[in-house]
Amino acid sequence: VEQDDLMVKHDGWGSGDDGNNGENGDGGDDNGGEGGDNGDGGEGGDNGNGNGGENGETPTGPTLLFAGADFEDWDEFESAKLFKNTFITQSKDEGRNGSGALKYDDKYISASGRKLAMRLDPQLIKDKSSISLYIKGECASGLGFALEKFSSGLGSNISYFNLQGISDNSIIEPSSSAPTTKDAINVGDQWFKVILDISSINLDKIDCFSMYLGSGKTCDFLIDDIYIE
């Protein structure tokens, strides 16, 4: 099985290999324990990363879901990743209005599973009801996002948001199933806004935003501006 993802050690997080086997996105060995507190409110400053207000208060209104979620500062984005994926890169000018974006470029997906995991600040996501993002391009293998409690194998308390049949401003409800080829998307060369309804999820048990892919097909898509509110 092709091993797409290599773990990066962060303080308070275990080590291990992320499982990419099987259509349901599980597999891999859970060799690492879960660590301590993975984020705090802190002082936000003016960098717009949403990790606290100017006085250490949790911000209100739309806020970047995690550090670097507008993909302008790639180092900031990399600092929030919970494992490496060499097939995810930054496009510096293919984002909305010529900005930066996350790019997953024409990679044949030989094994389904979690391809991206981003650390979340529990204080930031508390009492929020929706996540919005923009996407364009195609993913024939099937594409979905998830909120979960991170683990080096399959996480826990996972809620999937599969993008089958999306249109602009689609509202996606949570699902218990990981994406497969039936969740393929092809929105062409236009940005579609997608809204993930997280109002029914117990966010006290969540510390990770993930991207899952099905297998057996190619993908070539861009993601930009992931916000929570």
Side-chain angles (χ1 to χ4, degrees):
V1 175
E2 179 179 346
Q3 190 72 14
D4 289 342
D5 306 322
L6 300 175
M7 293 293 296
V8 170
K9 293 182 179 179
H10 292 273
D11 291 342
W13 293 94
S15 62
D17 294 325
D18 189 60
N20 293 325
N21 300 324
E23 289 296 324
N24 62 359
D26 59 6
D29 294 328
D30 189 359
N31 297 321
E34 291 169 7
D37 188 1
N38 65 345
D40 52 36
E43 291 186 0
D46 297 323
N47 63 0
N49 65 7
N51 293 323
E54 291 186 359
N55 298 316
E57 298 177 354
T58 301
T60 58
T63 309
L64 288 177
L65 178 59
F66 50 81
D70 58 358
F71 309 108
E72 297 301 318
D73 185 334
W74 198 247
D75 289 338
E76 189 174 40
F77 167 74
E78 290 280 348
S79 73
K81 285 170 64 175
L82 293 171
F83 61 81
K84 288 183 178 179
N85 185 319
T86 57
F87 303 109
I88 290 176
T89 60
Q90 180 190 31
S91 174
K92 294 185 177 181
D93 58 6
E94 292 183 274
R96 299 173 64 227
N97 301 313
S99 64
L102 180 151
K103 187 177 183 69
Y104 204 105
D105 189 9
D106 203 25
K107 163 68 180 165
Y108 180 82
I109 311 301
S110 60
S112 62
R114 183 173 55 189
K115 305 300 180 181
L116 178 70
M118 305 302 300
R119 180 189 295 109
L120 299 180
D121 180 344
Q123 286 298 114
L124 174 66
I125 67 175
K126 186 177 180 180
D127 299 325
K128 300 300 193 297
S129 61
S130 68
I131 294 170
S132 63
L133 57 91
Y134 290 84
I135 187 167
K136 75 173 180 178
E138 63 89 21
C139 184
S141 70
L143 171 62
F145 300 97
L147 291 174
E148 61 185 284
K149 177 72 174 176
F150 182 76
S151 172
S152 58
L154 185 65
S156 59
N157 300 306
I158 305 178
S159 296
Y160 299 98
F161 298 85
N162 301 326
L163 303 192
Q164 180 184 19
I166 62 168
S167 57
D168 193 19
N169 289 302
S170 286
I171 298 175
I172 310 298
E173 302 292 336
S175 167
S176 59
S177 300
T180 65
T181 52
K182 69 181 179 61
D183 301 299
I185 66 164
N186 189 348
V187 300
D189 194 28
Q190 57 182 323
W191 286 106
F192 275 22
K193 183 178 182 180
V194 177
I195 300 165
L196 314 182
D197 182 356
I198 64 173
S199 60
S200 63
I201 297 174
N202 182 359
L203 297 175
D204 292 338
K205 299 181 178 181
I206 300 302
D207 60 11
C208 175
F209 178 78
S210 306
M211 181 178 74
Y212 283 78
L213 300 179
S215 64
K217 302 288 183 178
T218 59
C219 294
D220 187 358
F221 59 86
L222 294 158
I223 296 172
D224 202 2
D225 292 339
I226 307 178
Y227 281 81
I228 189 169
E229 59 182 306

